[in-house]
Amino acid sequence: MRRLRTATAWFGRSIGARIVALSLGLLFAIQVASFSAIRASLGAHARRALPEQLNVGERVLASLLEQNAQKLTEGAKLLAADYGFRSVVQSNDAPTMVSVLENHGKRIGATEAALLGTDFTLRAASGRDTGDLQPVATRLATVAMRDGAASEIAVLNGRPHQVVLVPVKAPVLVGWVLMGFPLDRHLAAEMKALSALNVTLLTRAADGAPWTVALTSTPADRAAGFAREAWSASATAGAALRPVTFDHETFGVRAKWLTPAAAPGGARRQPPAVLALVSLSIDAAVRPPRDLQIGLASITLLGFVVFLCGSLVAARWLTTPLRALSAAADRLRAGDYATPMRGLRRVDELGKLAHAFEQMRVSVGEKQDQILKLAYWDSLTGLPNRVQFRDAVGDAIARARADAAASGAGSDAPGPTVAVIMLDLDRFKHVNDVLGYRVGDLLLGRVGERLSQQIVRGGDLVARLGGDEFAVLLRHGGAAQAESIARRLSVAFDTPLTLEEHTVDMGAGIGMACWPQHAGDADTLLSRAEIAMYAAKRRSHGPLMYDASIDAASAQMLSLLTELRQALERDELRLYLQPKLTLGTGRVGGAEALVRWQHPLRGLVPPNEFIPFAEQTGFIRVLTMWVFEEAARHWLALQAEGVTLTMSVNLSTRDLLDPELPQKFDALLVKHRVPAEAFCLEITESAIMDDPQRALATLNRLSELGFRLSIDDFGTGYSSLAYLKRLPVDELKIDKSFVMSMAHDPDDAKIVRSTIDLAHNLGLSVVAEGVETEQVWALLRDLDCDEAQGYHMGKPMPAGEFRAWTLAWAARHRPRSATSAGPVLH
């Protein structure tokens, strides 16, 4: 009694206990009432619903047959409307008609097809047995004449068929097409899918003959039992329900004639006949609800026990910890990752859940820190990245602006300034290509360290902006201080970097800009420092402070590039030729093809003002093809006038990386009927080293086509002798920086002599460019150089003037001995 009173008091004090008790009581009452109602009504309901289900099944079957008939009629009409078929009908070619009927029947699934005359007599037919077609056609004739088409279910070759009859008009009636489509398992499957009922089709040859199963969706032995009962089912076709017991199971069956039949008590049915039986198991219809009652009772009993026990335990152990977890989730959602979880001392599932929440809190906090680090720090160098640097520049400008406002400095008085120094490394891509990306990454790290060592003030900031770009923020530095630090950084790059066993010489283009002199906000300040940096790289004269003229020059270049794209259409490009002379004989052996731009407003634009930008944008490929085609055209003109020489055409890096370049050149050779041997293609060392493998593949294909290949500006690049030996080149062209000063610089003279000896030992010819004096001509001739090119012999001239220059030179110059002086040309 004491325990009972204690339990009653606990239920009275606990809201959870009262909810549990009320829920259990309602559950029990509802289930008892439900069981009583289910047991009384499910059986009767199932039996009452069976006749209607069979009626629905009969209507579904009739609808399927009607849809099938319409679809098949359309297929037959398509054949009857075919112009070719109507032509065959009028030609009276029986074999062709049979072939057409058979082919079309296969396409639409018809096993029987026939052509009837206008009097419904059989003219041609396909199929295994055409004897059954004429009676069917006779039966359908009346309906077809009245309605224009007819269909019915008929027995052909012992199988039920959907038969359709449609007219053939051209444009008057010339015959009828009859097609038979077998009723197969697809009909039974659709019936089963739509109504969940089984269908069995029975056929018999004549009245009184036994029924045979033609099609069924039920097991074969059950269908055979239906066939044995079919004599009585046929007599009651259309009745509400006929129960049939088979193998201790009762089925509801409804019969429906599919073939034309006389009314009950009338004339005898015309053979053959097709009877459809729609069936449903009465026992199966009632059985699932009985199983359901047992299952519901079991589940309810089990649920009652589990719910009672679980509710009693969960009411005490779940509510408080779950509220704590909910509060912790709210803190995490609010971004509080510092407050630890409570309840970590529990060892049950709730304790594990609390530990999981705690681990999630720590993990999310760490990942948040990592995300912030990745968002603001460069992982390779450990320096701030572009995002943090940009924010820092903005903060520095805002602080300087606030300091200026607080100090009350006048507009003429110097106020706080902010400076940005931006650096872009030279030859970094070459380091990556030659030494590998791992060494390139080491190089970036060492550059970051060296920059940080040069910036000693605590308020300044060094950052890596991306790629090989670095930047320095001077929070309290003007133009003079920025220039001083930039010079110090430039000097720091003079010391080579040692990376493992490699020693790398590095330089950098350095640009500077200051706030408020050059920009009013952070983005503009960074942009103008970058403009100054790229201008410094182009000029190669050390650090450069931003100036408005730099922007103006950049805008002018962009305008020139835009106009260059239209220069081809406007015929503004001009081909210039510079002669190349044989040092041994003084004969003109070749000419270098050069492009000039005759701008309608700017005049003759120097190539160094548009060629670099054409190279950057890829338009250089278009210029190369133009120069090559113009050179081919002028070579033909010179050849026709008796001047035979080799045209030299320059190729850029982008040209070498174009895999279709050999095919393009070959097509132009065929177009102008010029041999490949008439051209020498000049390639710089740097162009080859940008992507050695692709460049080598392109050069090999060009060499196979017959082009001569020349290494231009030899001695200024980074190619090795081992790699040079692999190239399919025919000549070396010594850079003019060595040739022009060789007369007074012994070191340059040694370089030229060594290059000539090296080339000859490798079986290559040598061209020296930049020959501007008679003395240099004589020195090159004494060194057995093969050809020379320079202003001493002839400047680049319009292609139309080259022929006249050649004739004038020939008139003034006669062949000389090897010891005579070179030609004096103007």
Side-chain angles (χ1 to χ4, degrees):
M1 291 296 296
R2 182 177 300 175
R3 292 182 179 178
L4 180 59
R5 288 195 298 269
T6 303
T8 303
W10 181 77
F11 272 91
R13 291 193 304 266
S14 172
I15 296 177
R18 290 197 298 268
I19 292 176
V20 169
L22 180 60
S23 300
L24 290 177
L26 290 175
L27 177 63
F28 179 78
I30 291 173
Q31 288 301 109
V32 169
S34 298
F35 285 170
S36 301
I38 289 173
R39 290 173 60 186
S41 64
L42 282 182
H45 176 75
R47 292 184 180 276
R48 287 195 305 269
L50 283 176
E52 182 58 26
Q53 285 184 268
L54 293 176
N55 288 338
V56 171
E58 182 180 352
R59 291 194 294 270
V60 170
L61 177 61
S63 177
L64 290 175
L65 293 174
E66 179 62 23
Q67 292 177 12
N68 199 27
Q70 292 177 2
K71 180 175 66 176
L72 301 180
T73 300
E74 290 301 321
K77 286 182 177 179
L78 182 64
L79 172 62
D82 183 76
Y83 177 82
F85 177 71
R86 289 185 292 173
S87 300
V88 171
V89 172
Q90 292 178 327
S91 70
N92 248 348
D93 187 355
T96 304
M97 286 190 290
V98 172
S99 176
V100 172
L101 289 169
E102 184 176 359
N103 290 335
H104 189 76
K106 288 180 179 179
R107 285 198 300 270
I108 65 175
T111 58
E112 307 294 337
L115 175 66
L116 308 178
T118 55
D119 57 352
F120 298 96
T121 58
L122 189 64
R123 292 177 57 186
S126 67
R128 291 172 294 178
D129 186 3
T130 61
D132 296 336
L133 297 178
Q134 187 62 61
V136 175
T138 303
R139 289 198 303 271
L140 294 175
T142 303
V143 179
M145 291 295 293
R146 184 188 67 214
D147 300 335
S151 68
E152 74 171 28
I153 305 298
V155 179
L156 301 178
N157 300 321
R159 296 180 59 194
H161 282 66
Q162 186 99 36
V163 180
V164 297
L165 182 65
V166 297
V168 182
K169 296 181 180 181
V172 297
L173 181 68
V174 296
W176 298 82
V177 172
L178 184 144
M179 287 196 169
F181 305 81
L183 300 179
D184 52 18
R185 294 185 179 276
H186 294 292
L187 177 65
E190 283 189 274
M191 181 68 181
K192 186 76 172 178
L194 293 174
S195 64
L197 299 176
N198 291 307
V199 62
T200 302
L201 299 186
L202 306 177
T203 62
R204 69 180 179 186
D207 283 347
W211 291 97
T212 60
V213 178
L215 173 66
T216 184
S217 60
T218 64
D221 55 347
R222 185 183 302 167
F226 288 164
R228 290 193 295 270
E229 296 289 333
W231 65 270
S232 56
S234 62
T236 59
L241 176 65
R242 176 178 175 82
V244 176
T245 301
F246 177 79
D247 198 16
H248 306 294
E249 188 171 4
T250 303
F251 296 86
V253 180
R254 187 173 179 86
K256 176 179 176 60
W257 288 106
L258 299 184
T259 52
R268 293 182 59 83
R269 196 176 321 281
Q270 295 297 322
V274 180
L275 183 67
L277 300 179
V278 179
S279 61
L280 176 66
S281 173
I282 298 176
D283 294 341
V286 178
R287 189 178 305 123
R290 291 176 178 172
D291 296 339
L292 181 60
Q293 293 181 52
I294 298 174
L296 285 174
S298 301
I299 292 174
T300 302
L301 180 60
L302 180 62
F304 184 84
V305 176
V306 172
F307 189 77
L308 175 61
C309 298
S311 299
L312 293 174
V313 175
R316 179 176 299 177
W317 295 95
L318 291 180
T319 307
T320 302
L322 288 178
R323 282 198 297 266
L325 293 176
S326 176
D330 291 338
R331 289 196 301 271
L332 292 178
R333 186 172 59 251
D336 180 7
Y337 305 110
T339 304
M341 288 290 301
R342 290 185 295 176
L344 297 177
R345 296 181 180 179
R346 296 181 62 127
V347 296
D348 55 6
E349 288 78 4
L350 289 174
K352 294 178 180 179
L353 184 59
H355 280 282
F357 262 80
E358 177 67 11
Q359 292 175 0
M360 182 180 69
R361 179 189 68 82
V362 175
S363 177
V364 170
E366 292 176 350
K367 289 187 182 327
Q368 186 71 12
D369 293 340
Q370 292 176 4
I371 291 173
L372 292 175
K373 185 174 182 179
L374 291 175
Y376 291 98
W377 297 88
D378 177 53
S379 59
L380 183 62
T381 61
L383 297 175
N385 62 8
R386 179 181 292 271
V387 175
Q388 184 180 168
F389 187 79
R390 189 259 177 209
D391 291 345
V393 173
D395 292 342
I397 291 176
R399 187 170 300 173
R401 187 179 284 117
D403 292 343
S407 63
S411 58
D412 297 332
T417 58
V418 177
V420 170
I421 303 173
M422 200 168 290
L423 305 90
D424 186 84
L425 302 182
D426 297 332
R427 301 183 297 278
F428 177 70
K429 183 179 185 302
H430 181 70
V431 173
N432 268 341
D433 293 340
V434 176
L435 302 180
Y437 289 101
R438 187 177 63 84
V439 176
D441 291 345
L442 292 175
L443 173 64
L444 293 175
R446 294 293 299 278
V447 169
E449 293 175 2
R450 182 166 292 187
L451 292 176
S452 299
Q453 292 169 359
Q454 298 299 319
I455 305 302
V456 296
R457 298 193 313 174
D460 298 336
L461 181 69
V462 179
R464 180 191 174 209
L465 304 185
D468 57 351
E469 289 188 14
F470 292 82
V472 178
L473 169 63
L474 305 179
R475 288 187 169 90
H476 306 286
Q481 187 175 14
E483 291 177 348
S484 174
I485 294 178
R487 285 192 297 271
R488 189 165 74 232
L489 296 177
S490 180
V491 171
F493 278 104
D494 292 340
T495 304
L497 292 170
T498 301
L499 306 172
E500 297 180 344
E501 69 275 11
H502 305 287
T503 300
V504 180
D505 290 318
M506 291 298 298
I510 304 177
M512 300 161 286
C514 298
W515 176 91
Q517 295 94 321
H518 303 137
D521 56 71
D523 291 330
T524 306
L525 183 61
L526 291 173
S527 174
R528 291 183 174 173
E530 188 173 23
I531 291 173
M533 176 188 71
Y534 284 119
K537 287 181 70 71
R538 288 194 300 270
R539 299 180 183 182
S540 301
H541 293 321
L544 180 66
M545 180 66 71
Y546 172 82
D547 187 84
S549 61
I550 301 176
D551 259 353
S554 299
Q556 183 182 19
M557 290 301 177
L558 290 177
S559 176
L560 281 176
L561 183 59
T562 302
E563 295 173 1
L564 178 61
R565 296 184 182 276
Q566 303 171 352
L568 282 175
E569 301 175 1
R570 298 173 179 174
D571 195 25
E572 297 175 2
L573 299 182
R574 302 289 183 266
L575 184 72
Y576 274 54
L577 298 177
Q578 185 176 22
K580 296 167 66 176
L581 276 68
T582 304
L583 281 161
T585 63
R587 185 180 66 85
V588 177
E592 182 176 1
L594 304 168
V595 63
R596 297 293 185 265
W597 182 11
Q598 187 64 47
H599 194 278
L601 300 177
R602 307 175 194 270
L604 194 63
V605 181
N608 60 350
E609 291 188 8
F610 66 90
I611 292 296
F613 287 92
E615 175 72 34
Q616 293 174 13
T617 60
F619 192 73
I620 191 68
R621 294 180 178 178
V622 179
L623 292 182
T624 299
M625 300 309 297
W626 183 89
V627 171
F628 187 89
E629 188 164 12
E630 287 295 303
R633 191 166 59 83
H634 282 84
W635 185 91
L636 280 176
L638 293 171
Q639 182 78 4
E641 296 178 2
V643 178
T644 301
L645 48 75
T646 300
M647 287 283 190
S648 296
V649 176
N650 293 287
L651 299 185
S652 70
T653 301
R654 289 183 179 268
D655 292 323
L656 280 183
L657 299 182
D658 182 4
E660 298 180 359
L661 180 68
Q663 291 91 323
K664 294 177 182 177
F665 279 174
D666 192 33
L668 290 178
L669 293 177
V670 174
K671 175 182 177 181
H672 294 282
R673 299 181 181 179
V674 177
E677 292 76 9
F679 284 91
C680 178
L681 304 179
E682 298 186 0
I683 311 101
T684 63
E685 289 182 86
S686 59
I688 297 174
M689 296 309 296
D690 277 350
D691 193 337
Q693 296 301 323
R694 289 175 63 184
L696 180 60
T698 303
L699 292 177
N700 283 330
R701 292 167 62 191
L702 291 171
S703 179
E704 291 169 359
L705 290 175
F707 290 102
R708 285 177 55 82
L709 300 178
S710 173
I711 300 296
D712 195 10
D713 299 338
F714 183 77
T716 62
Y718 303 94
S719 61
S720 64
L721 293 178
Y723 186 75
L724 178 64
K725 185 174 64 175
R726 297 169 52 196
L727 298 176
V729 297
D730 303 285
E731 74 175 29
L732 296 183
K733 196 170 185 181
I734 305 176
D735 186 68
K736 63 182 179 181
S737 62
F738 303 115
V739 175
M740 295 174 65
S741 58
M742 64 178 293
H744 54 79
D745 189 334
D747 292 332
D748 285 343
K750 293 177 183 178
I751 292 174
V752 173
R753 180 186 300 108
S754 300
T755 303
I756 295 173
D757 292 341
L758 170 65
H760 288 164
N761 289 334
L762 292 175
L764 308 177
S765 61
V766 183
V767 178
E769 62 176 339
V771 179
E772 298 188 356
T773 65
E774 177 68 25
Q775 185 181 6
V776 172
W777 169 280
L779 288 174
L780 291 171
R781 185 194 58 213
D782 294 340
L783 294 175
D784 292 330
C785 184
D786 299 294
E787 290 184 329
Q789 176 182 348
Y791 283 12
H792 177 61
M793 292 81 72
K795 297 180 179 181
M797 62 193 75
E801 301 175 7
F802 187 78
R803 169 60 177 162
W805 179 91
T806 304
L807 294 176
W809 172 83
R812 294 195 303 268
H813 180 270
R814 294 188 302 274
R816 306 184 181 194
S817 64
T819 58
S820 63
V824 179
L825 303 172
H826 303 283

